[in-house]
């Protein structure tokens, strides 16, 4: 009976412990592109806003991430190694000593894992 309670406790606690924290992953920024992310009306002129979109490559996955606000103008160099965490549709990472938060807009298998 005691072993049954111990087994039940382990089965209940294990998923909680697994999901308790996002484990950091490592990746590399392999490309950058400016993409349209809306427009801004100033009087009678309409200006298109551009956001940076990066491709972050891990061992098996390419994540396409985009700025959440077009006002953030800092560019991150290509081939920069990063350590990131994923939470729903957001990627938080550190690069060159600074923290960033980007929106994940696509996820694909990296070219290295595709069978040719």
């Amino acid at each position: 009976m005691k072993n049954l309670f111990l087994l039940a406790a382990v089965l209940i606690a294990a998923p909680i412990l697994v999901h308790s924290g996002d484990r950091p992953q490592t990746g590399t920024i392999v490309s950058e592109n400016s993409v349209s992310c809306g427009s801004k009306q100033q009087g009678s002129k309409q200006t298109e806003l551009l956001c940076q979109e990066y491709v972050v490559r891990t061992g098996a996955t390419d994540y396409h991430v985009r700025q959440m606000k077009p006002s953030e103008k800092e560019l991150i160099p290509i081939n920069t190694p990063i350590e990131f965490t994923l939470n729903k549709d957001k990627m938080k990472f550190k690069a060159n000593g600074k923290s960033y938060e980007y929106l994940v807009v696509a996820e694909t298998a990296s070219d290295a894992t595709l069978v040719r």
Side-chain angles (χ1 to χ4, degrees), residues 13-23:
I16 294 169
L17 293 174
V18 169
H19 293 293
S20 65
D22 294 327
R23 292 183 26 211

Side-chain angles (χ1 to χ4, degrees), residues 31-87:
S31 72
E32 181 272 332
N33 193 18
S34 294
V35 296
S36 176
C37 60
S39 61
K40 182 176 169 181
Q41 187 78 26
Q42 292 180 331
S44 62
K45 292 175 84 175
Q46 186 169 348
T47 307
E48 185 176 351
L49 299 174
L50 296 176
C51 291
Q52 267 52 56
E53 182 173 298
Y54 296 97
V55 176
V56 176
R57 179 165 290 159
T58 65
T61 308
D62 286 350
Y63 295 98
H64 295 253
V65 296
R66 186 177 298 165
Q67 287 175 297
M68 293 172 36
K69 297 178 185 175
S71 61
E72 301 167 353
K73 300 289 183 192
E74 188 172 336
L75 292 175
I76 304 168
I78 295 176
N79 293 325
T80 299
I82 64 168
E83 186 173 278
F84 67 92
T85 57
L86 291 171
N87 186 1

